[in-house]
Amino acid sequence: MSLEREIARRRVAAADAAARVRPVDALAVGLGPCQPASFLHALGERDDFERLMVFGALLTGLYKLFTRRGVTLLSGFFGPVERGLRQAGYDVRFVPADFRRFGHVARRLAPRVMATAVAPPDAQGRFSLALHAGATVHELHRCGHDPDRLLVVEVNPKLPRTLGLPPEHPHALSLEEVDLVIESDAEPFLLPDHPPDEIERAIAGHAARFIPDGATLQTGIGGIPGEIVEVLAEGPGGDYGVHSEMFTTGLMQLQRRGKVTNRKGVFDGFSVCTFAAGTAELYEWLDGQEAVRFLPVDVVNDPSVIGRNRRMVSINGALSIDLAGQVAADTVGGRQYSGIGGHEDFVQGAAFAEGGRSLVCLPATARLRSEAGERLISRIAASFRNGELVTTPRHQVDVIVTEFGAAELAGVTDDERAERLIAIAHPDFRDALRAERAGAK
């Protein structure tokens, strides 16, 4: 049978695919950019679910499905949508796990139904996984080979056909694995660039001095990592490599300007990532891009693999840090704000790379809003309050950067750490931090 006929035999409307999900069932959809929007919207039109468990992370759209009675979202990474749903009282639960462990969670859950967005098939009937390999890729293949499970792909011509490193990591599903094909023209999730503010520019300036020529880079999400990459792109240095959980618009610009050679020591010749998010320009550039390869997160985020890169420099953010060097990057006051992701994996991996450094970057202050009004608080705390959750423990931390400078913490005593962190706190809070620390001794 021809390829076109095989695809036609599996092609259904989104509503028909949604009808194949049982009132009591389990579904997994992966993280952010791989989520099948049309399928999720079609599921939201149903109101007969008795117990539907949905495993995912970082929702990129507003889906009625998660407001339905009988539907539980198990999320490994919160974004604005999850926070809003939870605050409104819907059944949204956080699963504490770093990105690598999502795969183990998915395997234990063994969802009967899996669904993902894909690019249109090539001449051999292979559907590129487009913007995401992540932690669900192995479970997608297992689902596709199990006759008792259901694998749904949502084909979107607006998604780039991206590449893996076959044969071990093909970054594609074969037509034989797929049960149902939905066609969609939904707009991909976009992460627009925003001009950096004065604080972000200052942090980037301090961070850049820790990034030598020939460094292998990992950057997280947000304005600070983006500005650091821009500083590198505009500067005289080069010969960089890319080994990053996330591939961003900024990393594309670094490659376009000839700054990336990928002489790293592992996966030489390729920038590697496990997902991408950014502008429409980034997605267009990624289509068929030979220089960038998407690999499963258990490879990309493995500290033993990260540590094999030449001069590995990880660049991540945080929400707060205490004077012991403990980092809170996913909770605020004990409430879930984002997720653990690959934060600790890259901090740990960079520490064991030859010439490696890990940078945790954050503004020195934040504005706290309450019924009493707005006040400025220090993100550098003397100690975390009871109930505050630590994302990355103190013994993993290397360099902390704020707009007031950089504190190198690795290999120094508790007292030295505290003084170095106080020195990069906002000047208005330094005396209070010293006094609070002295009172705690």
Short mmCIF file of all heavy atoms in Angstrom, two decimals, residues 100-157:
data_model
loop_
_atom_site.label_atom_id
_atom_site.label_comp_id
_atom_site.label_asym_id
_atom_site.label_seq_id
_atom_site.Cartn_x
_atom_site.Cartn_y
_atom_site.Cartn_z
N ARG A 100 15.06 14.80 33.60
CA ARG A 100 15.47 13.44 33.24
C ARG A 100 14.52 12.40 33.82
O ARG A 100 14.26 11.37 33.19
CB ARG A 100 16.88 13.15 33.75
CG ARG A 100 17.99 13.64 32.85
CD ARG A 100 19.31 13.03 33.28
NE ARG A 100 19.66 13.35 34.66
CZ ARG A 100 20.39 12.58 35.44
NH1 ARG A 100 20.82 11.40 35.00
NH2 ARG A 100 20.69 12.95 36.67
N ARG A 101 14.00 12.64 35.01
CA ARG A 101 13.14 11.66 35.67
C ARG A 101 11.72 11.65 35.12
O ARG A 101 10.93 10.77 35.45
CB ARG A 101 13.14 11.90 37.18
CG ARG A 101 14.44 11.48 37.84
CD ARG A 101 14.43 11.77 39.34
NE ARG A 101 15.61 11.24 40.00
CZ ARG A 101 16.79 11.86 40.06
NH1 ARG A 101 16.94 13.04 39.47
NH2 ARG A 101 17.82 11.32 40.68
N PHE A 102 11.35 12.62 34.30
CA PHE A 102 10.02 12.59 33.68
C PHE A 102 9.81 11.28 32.93
O PHE A 102 8.71 10.74 32.88
CB PHE A 102 9.85 13.74 32.68
CG PHE A 102 9.66 15.10 33.30
CD1 PHE A 102 9.70 15.29 34.66
CD2 PHE A 102 9.45 16.21 32.49
CE1 PHE A 102 9.54 16.55 35.22
CE2 PHE A 102 9.28 17.47 33.03
CZ PHE A 102 9.33 17.64 34.39
N GLY A 103 10.88 10.78 32.29
CA GLY A 103 10.76 9.54 31.54
C GLY A 103 10.38 8.37 32.43
O GLY A 103 9.54 7.54 32.07
N HIS A 104 10.99 8.31 33.63
CA HIS A 104 10.65 7.25 34.58
C HIS A 104 9.21 7.41 35.07
O HIS A 104 8.50 6.41 35.24
CB HIS A 104 11.61 7.28 35.76
CG HIS A 104 13.04 7.07 35.39
ND1 HIS A 104 13.52 5.87 34.92
CD2 HIS A 104 14.11 7.90 35.42
CE1 HIS A 104 14.81 5.96 34.67
NE2 HIS A 104 15.19 7.19 34.95
N VAL A 105 8.79 8.65 35.29
CA VAL A 105 7.42 8.90 35.72
C VAL A 105 6.45 8.43 34.64
O VAL A 105 5.44 7.76 34.93
CB VAL A 105 7.20 10.40 36.03
CG1 VAL A 105 5.74 10.69 36.32
CG2 VAL A 105 8.07 10.83 37.21
N ALA A 106 6.74 8.77 33.39
CA ALA A 106 5.87 8.37 32.28
C ALA A 106 5.80 6.85 32.16
O ALA A 106 4.73 6.28 31.90
CB ALA A 106 6.35 8.99 30.97
N ARG A 107 6.92 6.19 32.36
CA ARG A 107 6.92 4.73 32.24
C ARG A 107 6.12 4.08 33.36
O ARG A 107 5.39 3.11 33.14
CB ARG A 107 8.35 4.20 32.22
CG ARG A 107 8.39 2.71 31.88
CD ARG A 107 9.75 2.26 31.42
NE ARG A 107 9.66 0.95 30.80
CZ ARG A 107 10.69 0.30 30.29
NH1 ARG A 107 11.90 0.86 30.30
NH2 ARG A 107 10.55 -0.90 29.76
N ARG A 108 6.24 4.62 34.58
CA ARG A 108 5.46 4.06 35.69
C ARG A 108 3.97 4.31 35.49
O ARG A 108 3.13 3.46 35.79
CB ARG A 108 5.92 4.65 37.02
CG ARG A 108 7.23 4.08 37.52
CD ARG A 108 7.44 4.40 38.99
NE ARG A 108 7.58 5.84 39.21
CZ ARG A 108 8.74 6.49 39.19
NH1 ARG A 108 9.86 5.82 38.94
NH2 ARG A 108 8.79 7.78 39.41
N LEU A 109 3.64 5.50 34.99
CA LEU A 109 2.23 5.81 34.71
C LEU A 109 1.70 4.94 33.58
O LEU A 109 0.53 4.55 33.58
CB LEU A 109 2.08 7.29 34.35
CG LEU A 109 0.68 7.81 34.04
CD1 LEU A 109 -0.23 7.68 35.26
CD2 LEU A 109 0.73 9.27 33.58
N ALA A 110 2.58 4.61 32.61
CA ALA A 110 2.22 3.78 31.44
C ALA A 110 0.88 4.22 30.85
O ALA A 110 -0.07 3.44 30.79
CB ALA A 110 2.18 2.31 31.82
N PRO A 111 0.78 5.47 30.41
CA PRO A 111 -0.51 5.95 29.89
C PRO A 111 -0.96 5.14 28.68
O PRO A 111 -0.16 4.85 27.79
CB PRO A 111 -0.21 7.40 29.51
CG PRO A 111 1.26 7.44 29.28
CD PRO A 111 1.85 6.46 30.24
N ARG A 112 -2.23 4.78 28.68
CA ARG A 112 -2.74 4.02 27.54
C ARG A 112 -2.68 4.84 26.26
O ARG A 112 -2.46 4.32 25.16
CB ARG A 112 -4.18 3.57 27.80
CG ARG A 112 -4.72 2.58 26.74
CD ARG A 112 -6.18 2.30 26.94
NE ARG A 112 -7.01 3.44 26.57
CZ ARG A 112 -7.45 3.70 25.34
NH1 ARG A 112 -7.12 2.90 24.33
NH2 ARG A 112 -8.19 4.76 25.10
N VAL A 113 -2.87 6.17 26.39
CA VAL A 113 -2.89 7.07 25.24
C VAL A 113 -1.71 8.03 25.34
O VAL A 113 -1.45 8.60 26.40
CB VAL A 113 -4.20 7.87 25.18
CG1 VAL A 113 -4.24 8.73 23.91
CG2 VAL A 113 -5.41 6.94 25.23
N MET A 114 -1.01 8.20 24.23
CA MET A 114 0.01 9.24 24.14
C MET A 114 -0.24 10.05 22.88
O MET A 114 -0.70 9.52 21.86
CB MET A 114 1.41 8.63 24.11
CG MET A 114 1.77 7.93 25.41
SD MET A 114 3.55 7.66 25.59
CE MET A 114 4.15 9.33 25.83
N ALA A 115 0.04 11.34 22.98
CA ALA A 115 -0.20 12.23 21.84
C ALA A 115 0.90 13.27 21.76
O ALA A 115 1.37 13.77 22.79
CB ALA A 115 -1.57 12.91 21.97
N THR A 116 1.29 13.61 20.54
CA THR A 116 2.35 14.60 20.36
C THR A 116 2.17 15.32 19.04
O THR A 116 1.60 14.77 18.09
CB THR A 116 3.74 13.93 20.41
OG1 THR A 116 4.75 14.93 20.41
CG2 THR A 116 3.97 13.00 19.23
N ALA A 117 2.65 16.55 18.98
CA ALA A 117 2.70 17.30 17.73
C ALA A 117 3.93 16.89 16.95
O ALA A 117 4.99 16.65 17.54
CB ALA A 117 2.72 18.79 18.01
N VAL A 118 3.80 16.78 15.63
CA VAL A 118 4.91 16.38 14.77
C VAL A 118 4.89 17.22 13.50
O VAL A 118 3.89 17.85 13.16
CB VAL A 118 4.83 14.88 14.39
CG1 VAL A 118 4.97 13.99 15.61
CG2 VAL A 118 3.52 14.58 13.64
N ALA A 119 6.03 17.20 12.80
CA ALA A 119 6.10 17.82 11.47
C ALA A 119 5.55 16.85 10.43
O ALA A 119 5.40 15.65 10.69
CB ALA A 119 7.56 18.17 11.16
N PRO A 120 5.22 17.33 9.23
CA PRO A 120 4.72 16.43 8.18
C PRO A 120 5.73 15.33 7.87
O PRO A 120 6.95 15.51 8.03
CB PRO A 120 4.53 17.36 6.98
CG PRO A 120 4.29 18.71 7.59
CD PRO A 120 5.17 18.74 8.81
N PRO A 121 5.26 14.16 7.45
CA PRO A 121 6.17 13.03 7.22
C PRO A 121 7.08 13.25 6.02
O PRO A 121 6.75 13.99 5.09
CB PRO A 121 5.21 11.86 6.97
CG PRO A 121 3.97 12.51 6.42
CD PRO A 121 3.86 13.82 7.14
N ASP A 122 8.25 12.60 6.09
CA ASP A 122 9.14 12.63 4.93
C ASP A 122 8.74 11.53 3.95
O ASP A 122 7.72 10.85 4.13
CB ASP A 122 10.60 12.51 5.38
CG ASP A 122 10.91 11.19 6.08
OD1 ASP A 122 10.12 10.23 5.96
OD2 ASP A 122 11.97 11.11 6.73
N ALA A 123 9.55 11.31 2.93
CA ALA A 123 9.21 10.35 1.87
C ALA A 123 9.17 8.92 2.39
O ALA A 123 8.56 8.05 1.76
CB ALA A 123 10.22 10.47 0.73
N GLN A 124 9.82 8.65 3.52
CA GLN A 124 9.82 7.31 4.11
C GLN A 124 8.73 7.14 5.17
O GLN A 124 8.67 6.11 5.84
CB GLN A 124 11.18 7.01 4.73
CG GLN A 124 12.28 6.71 3.71
CD GLN A 124 12.74 7.96 2.98
OE1 GLN A 124 12.97 9.00 3.61
NE2 GLN A 124 12.83 7.88 1.66
N GLY A 125 7.89 8.15 5.36
CA GLY A 125 6.83 8.05 6.34
C GLY A 125 7.27 8.29 7.77
O GLY A 125 6.61 7.86 8.71
N ARG A 126 8.37 9.01 7.96
CA ARG A 126 8.85 9.32 9.30
C ARG A 126 8.39 10.71 9.71
O ARG A 126 8.57 11.68 8.96
CB ARG A 126 10.38 9.24 9.36
CG ARG A 126 10.95 7.84 9.16
CD ARG A 126 12.45 7.84 9.37
NE ARG A 126 13.11 8.67 8.37
CZ ARG A 126 13.78 8.19 7.34
NH1 ARG A 126 13.90 6.89 7.16
NH2 ARG A 126 14.37 9.01 6.48
N PHE A 127 7.81 10.79 10.89
CA PHE A 127 7.32 12.06 11.42
C PHE A 127 8.37 12.63 12.37
O PHE A 127 8.60 12.07 13.45
CB PHE A 127 6.01 11.87 12.19
CG PHE A 127 4.86 11.37 11.36
CD1 PHE A 127 4.63 10.00 11.24
CD2 PHE A 127 4.00 12.24 10.71
CE1 PHE A 127 3.56 9.53 10.50
CE2 PHE A 127 2.93 11.78 9.97
CZ PHE A 127 2.71 10.41 9.85
N SER A 128 9.01 13.73 12.00
CA SER A 128 9.95 14.38 12.91
C SER A 128 9.22 14.88 14.14
O SER A 128 8.10 15.42 14.06
CB SER A 128 10.64 15.55 12.21
OG SER A 128 11.32 16.38 13.15
N LEU A 129 9.85 14.71 15.32
CA LEU A 129 9.26 15.17 16.57
C LEU A 129 9.40 16.68 16.77
O LEU A 129 9.06 17.20 17.83
CB LEU A 129 9.87 14.41 17.74
CG LEU A 129 9.48 12.92 17.79
CD1 LEU A 129 10.33 12.18 18.82
CD2 LEU A 129 8.01 12.75 18.08
N ALA A 130 9.90 17.35 15.75
CA ALA A 130 9.89 18.82 15.68
C ALA A 130 10.63 19.46 16.85
O ALA A 130 11.83 19.31 16.97
CB ALA A 130 8.46 19.34 15.54
N LEU A 131 9.91 20.15 17.73
CA LEU A 131 10.54 21.01 18.73
C LEU A 131 10.86 20.31 20.05
O LEU A 131 11.35 20.96 20.98
CB LEU A 131 9.63 22.21 19.01
CG LEU A 131 9.41 23.15 17.82
CD1 LEU A 131 8.37 24.20 18.16
CD2 LEU A 131 10.72 23.82 17.41
N HIS A 132 10.65 19.00 20.13
CA HIS A 132 10.79 18.36 21.44
C HIS A 132 11.14 16.88 21.30
O HIS A 132 10.47 16.13 20.60
CB HIS A 132 9.46 18.49 22.20
CG HIS A 132 9.44 17.85 23.55
ND1 HIS A 132 9.04 16.55 23.75
CD2 HIS A 132 9.75 18.33 24.78
CE1 HIS A 132 9.11 16.26 25.04
NE2 HIS A 132 9.53 17.32 25.68
N ALA A 133 12.24 16.50 21.97
CA ALA A 133 12.53 15.08 22.18
C ALA A 133 12.20 14.75 23.63
O ALA A 133 11.36 13.91 23.92
CB ALA A 133 14.00 14.78 21.87
N GLY A 134 12.87 15.44 24.54
CA GLY A 134 12.49 15.42 25.94
C GLY A 134 12.51 14.06 26.59
O GLY A 134 13.31 13.18 26.26
N ALA A 135 11.59 13.89 27.54
CA ALA A 135 11.54 12.67 28.35
C ALA A 135 10.50 11.68 27.87
O ALA A 135 10.43 10.56 28.37
CB ALA A 135 11.26 13.03 29.80
N THR A 136 9.67 12.06 26.90
CA THR A 136 8.58 11.17 26.47
C THR A 136 8.93 10.36 25.23
O THR A 136 8.17 9.48 24.84
CB THR A 136 7.31 11.98 26.18
OG1 THR A 136 7.63 13.09 25.31
CG2 THR A 136 6.70 12.52 27.46
N VAL A 137 10.09 10.61 24.60
CA VAL A 137 10.38 9.98 23.33
C VAL A 137 10.43 8.46 23.44
O VAL A 137 9.89 7.75 22.58
CB VAL A 137 11.69 10.56 22.72
CG1 VAL A 137 12.87 10.35 23.62
CG2 VAL A 137 11.94 9.98 21.34
N HIS A 138 11.04 7.92 24.50
CA HIS A 138 11.12 6.47 24.65
C HIS A 138 9.72 5.87 24.87
O HIS A 138 9.40 4.81 24.32
CB HIS A 138 12.03 6.09 25.81
CG HIS A 138 13.44 6.58 25.66
ND1 HIS A 138 14.19 6.32 24.53
CD2 HIS A 138 14.23 7.33 26.48
CE1 HIS A 138 15.39 6.86 24.66
NE2 HIS A 138 15.43 7.49 25.83
N GLU A 139 8.90 6.56 25.66
CA GLU A 139 7.56 6.06 25.92
C GLU A 139 6.67 6.15 24.68
O GLU A 139 5.78 5.32 24.48
CB GLU A 139 6.93 6.81 27.10
CG GLU A 139 5.75 6.11 27.74
CD GLU A 139 6.10 4.74 28.33
OE1 GLU A 139 7.26 4.53 28.73
OE2 GLU A 139 5.18 3.89 28.38
N LEU A 140 6.91 7.15 23.82
CA LEU A 140 6.19 7.22 22.55
C LEU A 140 6.46 5.97 21.71
O LEU A 140 5.53 5.38 21.13
CB LEU A 140 6.61 8.47 21.77
CG LEU A 140 6.07 9.81 22.28
CD1 LEU A 140 6.79 10.97 21.58
CD2 LEU A 140 4.56 9.93 22.04
N HIS A 141 7.72 5.57 21.64
CA HIS A 141 8.05 4.37 20.87
C HIS A 141 7.44 3.11 21.50
O HIS A 141 6.93 2.24 20.78
CB HIS A 141 9.57 4.22 20.74
CG HIS A 141 10.21 5.22 19.84
ND1 HIS A 141 9.89 5.34 18.50
CD2 HIS A 141 11.15 6.18 20.08
CE1 HIS A 141 10.61 6.31 17.96
NE2 HIS A 141 11.38 6.84 18.89
N ARG A 142 7.47 3.03 22.82
CA ARG A 142 6.86 1.87 23.48
C ARG A 142 5.37 1.83 23.22
O ARG A 142 4.80 0.75 22.96
CB ARG A 142 7.15 1.90 24.99
CG ARG A 142 8.52 1.36 25.37
CD ARG A 142 8.65 1.20 26.87
NE ARG A 142 8.87 2.48 27.51
CZ ARG A 142 10.06 3.00 27.78
NH1 ARG A 142 11.16 2.35 27.42
NH2 ARG A 142 10.18 4.15 28.38
N CYS A 143 4.73 2.98 23.29
CA CYS A 143 3.30 3.06 23.01
C CYS A 143 3.01 2.62 21.57
O CYS A 143 2.06 1.86 21.31
CB CYS A 143 2.81 4.49 23.24
SG CYS A 143 1.05 4.75 22.97
N GLY A 144 3.84 3.08 20.64
CA GLY A 144 3.63 2.76 19.23
C GLY A 144 3.78 1.29 18.91
O GLY A 144 3.24 0.82 17.88
N HIS A 145 4.48 0.53 19.75
CA HIS A 145 4.68 -0.89 19.51
C HIS A 145 3.76 -1.77 20.36
O HIS A 145 3.88 -3.00 20.31
CB HIS A 145 6.14 -1.27 19.78
CG HIS A 145 7.08 -0.76 18.74
ND1 HIS A 145 7.78 0.43 18.87
CD2 HIS A 145 7.41 -1.24 17.51
CE1 HIS A 145 8.52 0.64 17.79
NE2 HIS A 145 8.31 -0.36 16.95
N ASP A 146 2.86 -1.15 21.12
CA ASP A 146 1.95 -1.90 21.98
C ASP A 146 0.54 -1.85 21.40
O ASP A 146 -0.07 -0.77 21.37
CB ASP A 146 1.98 -1.29 23.39
CG ASP A 146 1.20 -2.12 24.40
OD1 ASP A 146 0.32 -2.89 23.99
OD2 ASP A 146 1.47 -1.97 25.61
N PRO A 147 0.00 -2.96 20.97
CA PRO A 147 -1.35 -2.95 20.34
C PRO A 147 -2.46 -2.57 21.30
O PRO A 147 -3.57 -2.24 20.86
CB PRO A 147 -1.51 -4.39 19.84
CG PRO A 147 -0.58 -5.21 20.67
CD PRO A 147 0.58 -4.31 20.98
N ASP A 148 -2.18 -2.61 22.61
CA ASP A 148 -3.21 -2.26 23.58
C ASP A 148 -3.20 -0.77 23.94
O ASP A 148 -4.01 -0.32 24.75
CB ASP A 148 -3.03 -3.08 24.86
CG ASP A 148 -3.26 -4.56 24.62
OD1 ASP A 148 -4.15 -4.90 23.80
OD2 ASP A 148 -2.56 -5.37 25.25
N ARG A 149 -2.28 -0.03 23.34
CA ARG A 149 -2.19 1.40 23.60
C ARG A 149 -2.50 2.18 22.33
O ARG A 149 -2.60 1.61 21.24
CB ARG A 149 -0.80 1.76 24.16
CG ARG A 149 -0.50 1.04 25.46
CD ARG A 149 0.93 1.24 25.92
NE ARG A 149 1.17 2.60 26.40
CZ ARG A 149 2.34 3.03 26.85
NH1 ARG A 149 3.39 2.20 26.85
NH2 ARG A 149 2.50 4.27 27.28
N LEU A 150 -2.65 3.49 22.49
CA LEU A 150 -3.07 4.35 21.37
C LEU A 150 -2.08 5.50 21.23
O LEU A 150 -1.89 6.28 22.16
CB LEU A 150 -4.48 4.90 21.64
CG LEU A 150 -5.13 5.74 20.53
CD1 LEU A 150 -5.49 4.87 19.33
CD2 LEU A 150 -6.37 6.45 21.07
N LEU A 151 -1.46 5.62 20.04
CA LEU A 151 -0.53 6.71 19.77
C LEU A 151 -1.14 7.65 18.72
O LEU A 151 -1.44 7.24 17.60
CB LEU A 151 0.81 6.17 19.27
CG LEU A 151 1.87 7.20 18.88
CD1 LEU A 151 2.16 8.15 20.03
CD2 LEU A 151 3.15 6.51 18.43
N VAL A 152 -1.32 8.90 19.13
CA VAL A 152 -1.93 9.92 18.29
C VAL A 152 -0.87 10.95 17.91
O VAL A 152 -0.16 11.47 18.80
CB VAL A 152 -3.09 10.63 19.02
CG1 VAL A 152 -3.74 11.68 18.13
CG2 VAL A 152 -4.12 9.62 19.51
N VAL A 153 -0.72 11.25 16.63
CA VAL A 153 0.17 12.35 16.22
C VAL A 153 -0.66 13.44 15.57
O VAL A 153 -1.61 13.17 14.83
CB VAL A 153 1.29 11.88 15.27
CG1 VAL A 153 2.18 10.85 15.95
CG2 VAL A 153 0.75 11.35 13.96
N GLU A 154 -0.31 14.67 15.90
CA GLU A 154 -0.97 15.83 15.31
C GLU A 154 0.02 16.50 14.36
O GLU A 154 1.01 17.09 14.80
CB GLU A 154 -1.40 16.80 16.40
CG GLU A 154 -2.16 18.01 15.88
CD GLU A 154 -2.82 18.80 17.00
OE1 GLU A 154 -3.52 18.18 17.84
OE2 GLU A 154 -2.62 20.03 17.05
N VAL A 155 -0.22 16.35 13.07
CA VAL A 155 0.70 16.82 12.04
C VAL A 155 0.44 18.30 11.77
O VAL A 155 -0.67 18.70 11.44
CB VAL A 155 0.54 16.00 10.75
CG1 VAL A 155 1.50 16.51 9.68
CG2 VAL A 155 0.78 14.52 11.02
N ASN A 156 1.50 19.08 11.89
CA ASN A 156 1.36 20.52 11.71
C ASN A 156 2.46 21.02 10.76
O ASN A 156 3.64 20.97 11.09
CB ASN A 156 1.48 21.24 13.05
CG ASN A 156 1.10 22.70 12.98
OD1 ASN A 156 1.21 23.33 11.93
ND2 ASN A 156 0.66 23.25 14.10
N PRO A 157 2.07 21.51 9.57
CA PRO A 157 3.08 21.99 8.61
C PRO A 157 3.82 23.24 9.07
O PRO A 157 4.84 23.61 8.47
CB PRO A 157 2.25 22.28 7.35
CG PRO A 157 0.87 22.54 7.85
CD PRO A 157 0.70 21.64 9.04
#
